[in-house]
Amino acid sequence: MSIRFKKQQNKITGSKTFGKWYGRAVSMGRIKMKNLAEEISHSTTVTQADIMAVLNELSHYMKAHLQNSETVVLDGIGAFQVGISSAPADKADDFTANNIKKYHILYKPEVTFVANGDVTATGRRSGFYVKTLLNGITAEALEKSKKEESTTTKP
C-alpha cells in the first residue's frame, strides 16, 4: 500500500517558486470508526461490538483527561494535549481566562530512532527519527481519471 499524490503547479504570482511543480498528498477516502472496528475484529479475538465499545470509551476518557489539562499518550500513535490561542494582556495580572479565544488539539506523533549503523566521534549512535505511523511508507502518483485526461488534452 502506498499514499497517493498528485502534481500541482504553484500559481501564486510573485512567489519565488511560481510555476514550479510540487506533490500534494491525496486522500483516497475516509474510514469510520465502525469500519475500523470491523477490520480490527478480523485480526483479533475481540468482536466488533467490543472494539466499538472500547473506542467509544477511549473518546470519552480522552476528552475528560484533555479537559483536565493532561496529555494523553497512545502508544504507537502519539500524544495529544490541549493548546490555546489567546489575546494578549499588558500585564500578567490582566490576563484571565477571558483572554482565551479558542482551544485546539496539539498532536505529537510518536517517533522511533532508526540507527544507520554509524557511530559518531563522541561514541553516540547516528541515525534519524521517524514517525512511527509513517515507518515504511511509500508513495505513488495518482493516475488521472479518464474525465481528467479528456479535459486536459482539449485545445
Side-chain angles (χ1 to χ4, degrees), residues 105-153:
I105 300 291
L106 299 172
Y107 167 63
K108 182 178 180 185
E110 180 180 277
V111 295
T112 305
F113 182 76
V114 179
N116 63 10
D118 295 335
V119 179
T120 66
T122 59
R124 297 182 64 168
R125 296 183 307 162
S126 64
F128 56 94
Y129 287 92
V130 63
K131 292 172 178 68
T132 305
L133 291 174
L134 299 179
N135 194 10
I137 195 169
T138 60
E140 65 182 68
L142 179 67
E143 294 188 25
K144 290 184 178 181
S145 68
K146 298 291 182 195
K147 182 179 179 182
E148 285 179 315
E149 287 177 2
S150 66
T151 58
T152 56
T153 57

Side-chain angles (χ1 to χ4, degrees), residues 68-121:
N68 195 33
S69 204
E70 296 174 285
T71 300
V72 177
V73 179
L74 300 179
D75 295 339
I77 295 174
F80 300 82
Q81 73 181 64
V82 174
I84 59 173
S85 297
S86 60
D90 292 329
K91 296 183 279 185
D93 289 343
D94 294 341
F95 190 92
T96 67
N98 292 331
N99 291 71
I100 298 172
K101 299 303 174 198
K102 67 179 181 177
Y103 301 91
H104 51 271
I105 300 291
L106 299 172
Y107 167 63
K108 182 178 180 185
E110 180 180 277
V111 295
T112 305
F113 182 76
V114 179
N116 63 10
D118 295 335
V119 179
T120 66

